[in-house]
């Protein structure tokens, strides 16, 4: 223990950390939560008069206890609407467009951006306790006394984005650069073809690592873990900070339990520690899987004998490469779920699909 009942040395820790360690020493077996529950209900610290002369002696030790000294008697967190949050968006945007001429049309967009905010969801949307960890996911503020600790990359921040579309009329057949004088029967075979496509690629969305069932700073919201740089944390070095574990595209992962964000999930756990009392933890410190998708269509126009009558054939393919990319919101990033830490459970988009259509124009 860094501190003990009656000690005047705080060991360089904050008052909240000293209180946590104090209770942990008194509990003896590390069962801190029952002590905190007892304090919340009005118990105070056994053997110490933390309350005023009008406070009750609930634990029977002859000393007044601080009733609800740590927690309010009704709630520890009250989500609310407010207008004090901050958000910023910085971007470099490049667009190139070509109108249809000589059988070619295309558009290309690239965005290098960074979106930052205190929260990407209204706080009153509540706290999610899904696969991402026990609480601490959504717009809830972990440390309301230091709101700027929440300021980080937005949940929807995409550092790199590329979008493009194109239409290309193949240069064969009547009215095209090659074979404009070919017979009609030949034009029905090789003429009137066109291809079109939509391409999108973006870097990974942010992701969070959660403490699990550890309420370091906010009794209602467990909050985020803190990156350590790979050092195995303990209480004596609990304030150690460092880089987060490197992430990767899942196609390079080596993991028998399925697609994983980390090359070595067990080693990645050492890069994160449970945040200490008074800490908020790190919001959106890592990046999930990249995303690349190509949709393609092949079109053929058949010009019928009657003027102005056209039969159009279209073959459309979605996710042409049949690539699989995983959803950042499906990550299991609770430090206490060691067996499945970093596993993905859902994909973005779907498998390759196709559809064929005929259109008669007159």
């Amino acid at each position: 223990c860094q501190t003990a009942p009656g000690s005047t040395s705080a060991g360089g820790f904050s008052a909240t950390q000293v209180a946590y360690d104090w209770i942990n020493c008194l509990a003896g077996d590390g069962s801190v939560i029952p002590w905190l529950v007892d304090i919340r209900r009005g118990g105070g610290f056994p053997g110490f008069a933390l309350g005023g002369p009008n406070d009750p002696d609930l634990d029977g030790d002859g000393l007044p206890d601080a009733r609800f000294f740590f927690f309010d008697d009704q709630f520890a967190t009250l989500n609310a609407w407010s207008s004090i949050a901050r958000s910023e968006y910085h971007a470099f945007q490049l667009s190139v467009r070509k109108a249809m001429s000589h059988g070619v049309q295309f558009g290309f967009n690239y965005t290098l951006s960074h979106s930052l905010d205190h929260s990407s969801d209204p706080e009153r949307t509540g706290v999610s306790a899904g696969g991402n960890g026990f609480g601490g996911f959504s717009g809830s503020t972990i440390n309301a006394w230091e709101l700027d600790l929440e300021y980080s990359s937005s949940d929807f921040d995409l550092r790199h984005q590329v979008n493009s579309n194109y239409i290309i009329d193949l240069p064969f057949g009547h009215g095209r650069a090659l074979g404009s004088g070919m017979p009609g029967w030949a034009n029905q075979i090789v003429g009137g073809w066109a291809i079109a496509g939509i391409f999108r690629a973006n870097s990974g969305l942010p992701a969070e690592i959660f403490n699990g069932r550890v309420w370091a700073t906010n009794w209602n919201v467990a909050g985020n873990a803190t990156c350590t740089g790979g050092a195995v944390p303990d209480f004596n070095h609990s304030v150690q900070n460092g880089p987060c574990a490197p992430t990767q595209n899942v196609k390079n992962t080596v993991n028998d339990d399925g697609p994983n964000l980390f090359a070595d999930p067990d080693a990645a756990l050492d890069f994160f520690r449970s945040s200490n009392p008074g800490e908020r933890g790190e919001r959106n410190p890592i990046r999930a899987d990249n995303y690349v998708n190509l949709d393609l269509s092949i079109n053929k126009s058949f010009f019928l004998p009657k003027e102005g009558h056209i039969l159009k054939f279209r073959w459309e393919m979605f996710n042409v490469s049949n690539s699989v990319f995983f959803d950042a919101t499906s990550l299991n990033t609770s430090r206490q779920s060691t067996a499945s830490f970093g596993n993905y459970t859902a994909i973005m988009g779907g498998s390759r699909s196709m559809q064929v259509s005929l259109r008669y124009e007159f």
Side-chain angles (χ1 to χ4, degrees), residues 194-335:
I195 59 173
I198 298 175
F199 175 79
R200 176 178 177 179
N202 58 255
S203 54
L205 286 163
E208 300 182 312
I209 305 299
F210 294 94
N211 288 327
R213 296 181 66 87
V214 178
W215 290 263
T217 300
N218 186 309
W219 182 257
N220 189 57
V221 182
N224 301 111
T226 299
C227 299
T228 67
V232 178
D234 56 40
F235 190 86
N236 292 326
H237 301 89
S238 59
V239 294
Q240 183 167 353
N241 298 316
C244 298
T247 59
Q248 58 170 20
N249 196 299
V250 293
K251 68 181 180 181
N252 300 319
T253 194
V254 179
N255 180 36
D256 294 335
D257 296 325
N260 197 284
L261 180 66
F262 305 103
D264 187 341
D266 292 333
L269 277 168
D270 290 338
F271 281 79
F272 306 96
R273 62 173 173 85
S274 292
S275 297
N276 292 317
E279 291 184 325
R280 184 250 179 265
E282 298 185 44
R283 177 172 172 247
N284 290 334
I286 59 176
R287 293 280 165 169
D289 206 8
N290 300 330
Y291 180 76
V292 179
N293 184 72
L294 172 64
D295 300 329
L296 178 68
S297 72
I298 299 175
N299 313 294
K300 173 72 169 78
S301 296
F302 297 92
F303 295 91
L304 302 180
K306 190 172 182 178
E307 185 176 357
H309 288 240
I310 305 172
L311 183 64
K312 290 189 174 181
F313 165 80
R314 182 185 297 268
W315 177 21
E316 296 174 319
M317 293 163 279
F318 305 94
N319 189 6
V320 173
S321 61
N322 201 30
S323 300
V324 178
F325 298 95
F326 292 86
D327 190 348
T329 63
S330 74
L331 278 167
N332 180 1
T333 51
S334 171
R335 290 187 64 254

Side-chain angles (χ1 to χ4, degrees), residues 112-172:
L112 169 65
S113 64
H114 195 188
S115 177
L116 303 103
D117 55 30
H118 281 133
S119 170
S120 300
D121 296 309
E123 189 173 50
R124 283 296 302 274
T125 58
V127 177
S128 169
N132 289 312
F134 194 86
F137 179 70
S138 77
S140 294
T141 301
I142 307 298
N143 188 340
W145 302 107
E146 294 187 69
L147 186 60
D148 278 343
L149 294 179
E150 309 289 327
Y151 192 68
S152 186
S153 297
S154 304
D155 297 348
F156 49 82
D157 177 53
L158 294 175
R159 200 58 49 85
H160 302 277
Q161 296 183 71
V162 173
N163 294 278
S164 66
N165 61 82
Y166 60 89
I167 300 174
I168 301 175
D169 292 333
L170 299 185
F172 309 108

